[in-house]
Amino acid sequence: DTEVTQTPKHLVMGMTNKKSLKCEQHMGHRAMYWYKQKAKKPPELMFVYSYEKLSINESVPSRFSPECPNSSLLNLHLHALQPEDSALYLCASSHDRDAGYTFGSGTRLTVV
Amino acid sequence: KNQVEQSPQSLIILEGKNCTLQCNYTVSPFSNLRWYKQDTGRGPVSLTIMTFSENTKSNGRYTATLDADTKQSSLHITASQLSDSASYICVVSDRGKLIFGQGTELSVKP
């Protein structure tokens, strides 16, 4: 298995909702990442997990809460989001921080 | 400041033609340089990854070159196909921290 699987592919949520994005990989990668990408912009790093521990938080608002239950899974819990949080959320994994990344197909999030 | 600049910003070519995309970077130190292809609304897909000592790397119709002295890279696409229409992103790794270029939007017309 050489893929990073993200679910759901699309999500529409209200500003008072709580939802979660899920990411799964079975390549044995020990580093996993969440990125946010706005239209026609490059991805922006949000969080990095290394060996299931949060190693980097790029000053992301607390309404985004990451979780790494095990070495294959990465979640992003969403609560009280704003319309400007609407974007493509990408998960990626790599063998280590300097190795090539495998990106998932992303979750298209719309906050209404 | 570590930067990655790509040119052109957008490019339109006819199917079957070749094209070359450019990437200049100021990232130092430099671990590796990657080229990704990203279809609209999808995640980036890796095309090539090159370390400091590599000058060229191919992946099918895609050939990347790297000149670490001038801090320049190029991505050459041969015999373009309609499915090559996408954004091509140059990414430089600074000890694991990725610096993304703004991308080149390629449109291949029939």
Side-chain angles (χ1 to χ4, degrees):
Chain A
D1 189 351
T2 58
E3 290 187 345
V4 173
T5 302
Q6 289 189 244
T7 55
K9 293 192 183 306
H10 302 275
L11 178 63
V12 179
M13 61 184 290
M15 289 188 283
T16 58
N17 291 160
K18 284 185 180 181
K19 296 287 184 182
S20 296
L21 309 184
K22 296 185 184 302
C23 174
E24 188 169 2
Q25 57 90 13
H26 296 286
M27 295 176 280
H29 289 173
R30 303 317 296 262
M32 297 186 75
Y33 314 83
W34 280 114
Y35 281 84
K36 173 183 177 181
Q37 187 176 26
K38 300 286 264 184
K40 299 194 182 300
K41 296 289 187 182
E44 299 174 8
L45 182 64
M46 300 175 71
F47 302 104
V48 179
Y49 272 82
S50 182
Y51 289 86
E52 301 163 47
K53 295 198 183 306
L54 182 64
S55 60
I56 294 178
N57 175 342
E58 291 285 351
S59 302
V60 179
S62 60
R63 57 186 184 269
F64 296 92
S65 175
E67 177 196 20
C68 189
N70 59 55
S71 61
S72 299
L73 295 175
L74 186 65
N75 299 322
L76 186 63
H77 302 298
L78 314 173
H79 175 54
L81 295 193
Q82 303 297 311
E84 58 266 28
D85 296 321
S86 299
L88 181 67
Y89 287 83
L90 295 166
C91 174
S93 71
S94 65
H95 182 69
D96 57 51
R97 287 291 314 279
D98 223 2
Y101 286 22
T102 301
F103 282 87
S105 293
T107 294
R108 170 66 62 188
L109 174 67
T110 303
V111 182
V112 297
Chain B
K1 179 182 177 184
N2 285 336
Q3 286 188 311
V4 177
E5 295 184 356
Q6 292 185 242
S7 62
Q9 188 173 354
S10 62
L11 181 63
I12 300 174
I13 62 173
L14 292 176
E15 185 179 13
K17 298 296 186 183
N18 303 336
C19 67
T20 300
L21 314 180
Q22 300 291 344
C23 174
N24 296 338
Y25 61 93
T26 59
V27 179
S28 183
F30 159 87
S31 297
N32 55 61
L33 185 145
R34 312 150 188 225
W35 282 94
Y36 286 91
K37 176 188 179 187
Q38 185 174 23
D39 293 314
T40 302
R42 304 298 299 268
V45 174
S46 179
L47 297 176
T48 63
I49 179 170
M50 290 185 290
T51 60
F52 183 91
S53 60
E54 294 176 291
N55 299 120
T56 185
K57 184 164 279 189
S58 292
N59 178 0
R61 295 181 296 103
Y62 302 101
T63 299
T65 65
L66 173 63
D67 186 333
D69 292 331
T70 61
K71 292 186 168 55
Q72 296 180 325
S73 177
S74 66
L75 180 70
H76 186 75
I77 304 175
T78 304
S80 61
Q81 300 176 359
L82 297 179
S83 59
D84 291 332
S85 295
S87 179
Y88 291 83
I89 308 173
C90 175
V91 185
V92 180
S93 173
D94 170 11
R95 294 161 294 180
K97 179 177 173 63
L98 299 191
I99 315 296
F100 286 80
Q102 293 293 315
T104 291
E105 196 72 32
L106 175 65
S107 180
V108 180
K109 302 293 188 184

